[in-house]
Amino acid sequence: MKIQVSEIPDEGFDIEDEESIGSETGGIAARAALKMRVEKIGAEVRLRGSIEAGLSLECSRCLKPFSKDLSVPVDLVFLPAEELGREEKHELASDELNTGFYRGGEVDLGEVSGEQVFLNVPMKPLCSESCKGICPACGTNLNERTCDCGLKRADNRMQALKKYLQKGKE
């Protein structure tokens, strides 16, 4: 959904919408429910509210798909892109981190909701805090069953150091 800045009344308005968010590269699919207050002060547009999203993620330990609900508070200010000027580089100040820019006189809520959800997805999503992951030797999901291959295979990476230390004791 796109909001035309010129059509925002002076008193603002409330909006409830649902957006579909997806990423082929990030492995994230979501439906996001937006509840926001839209206000305009001059050319500045302010969005305040929340985004509730149901995510489909993959566990970073066991690689199994799982669902996670995410609630993201939103307080963003949008300015016309023309206010950026012609500067090649611009260092953001701490008070500009919640500032975005719009072009063509419209703010795209689909883009805003997708951005806010992706910024709040955990870096290493886990199906549960107690997830045991998979066996590095045979690939068995250790949450579902145990494997014996860890007993059969020794870690040979430190064998040279072990031999060196034994020679030092002799």
Side-chain angles (χ1 to χ4, degrees):
M1 173 181 216
K2 295 183 181 184
I3 298 174
Q4 296 295 326
V5 175
S6 60
E7 295 177 9
I8 300 173
D10 291 337
E11 65 275 2
F13 64 92
D14 293 320
I15 189 165
E16 288 189 28
D17 190 30
E18 193 167 299
E19 295 286 334
S20 179
I21 300 169
S23 169
E24 294 174 13
T25 57
I28 299 167
R31 285 298 288 165
L34 292 77
K35 292 181 182 178
M36 293 191 201
R37 176 84 182 151
V38 180
E39 298 171 333
K40 182 175 86 168
I41 304 168
E44 179 180 290
V45 177
R46 185 167 190 175
L47 300 176
R48 284 189 286 179
S50 66
I51 301 172
E52 306 289 328
L55 305 177
S56 296
L57 301 170
E58 186 176 88
C59 181
S60 62
R61 289 184 190 160
C62 69
L63 306 178
K64 292 288 183 187
F66 71 100
S67 297
K68 179 179 178 76
D69 291 331
L70 189 68
S71 180
V72 180
V74 175
D75 189 0
L76 301 170
V77 175
F78 289 89
L79 302 170
E82 295 77 34
E83 286 193 17
L84 273 174
R86 299 284 181 215
E87 295 179 33
E88 293 274 333
K89 295 181 180 179
H90 175 74
E91 185 174 332
L92 289 175
S94 61
D95 61 338
E96 293 178 317
L97 293 177
N98 67 343
T99 303
F101 296 93
Y102 63 87
R103 294 188 192 284
E106 63 184 22
V107 177
D108 187 354
L109 288 181
E111 190 176 299
V112 171
S113 59
E115 177 182 274
Q116 293 303 308
V117 168
F118 289 140
L119 286 172
N120 285 280
V121 171
M123 194 178 293
K124 290 188 176 184
L126 297 176
C127 58
S128 74
E129 288 295 322
S130 61
C131 179
K132 296 175 185 176
I134 58 174
C135 174
C138 69
T140 300
N141 185 339
L142 300 174
N143 296 314
E144 296 171 358
R145 64 176 201 252
T146 59
C147 68
D148 297 329
C149 68
L151 302 173
K152 295 176 187 173
R153 299 176 193 216
D155 187 359
N156 294 328
R157 294 178 291 178
M158 301 299 274
Q159 290 300 321
L161 181 59
K162 195 175 199 181
K163 288 178 185 177
Y164 178 75
L165 291 174
Q166 286 177 349
K167 285 182 183 178
K169 289 181 182 177
E170 296 172 353

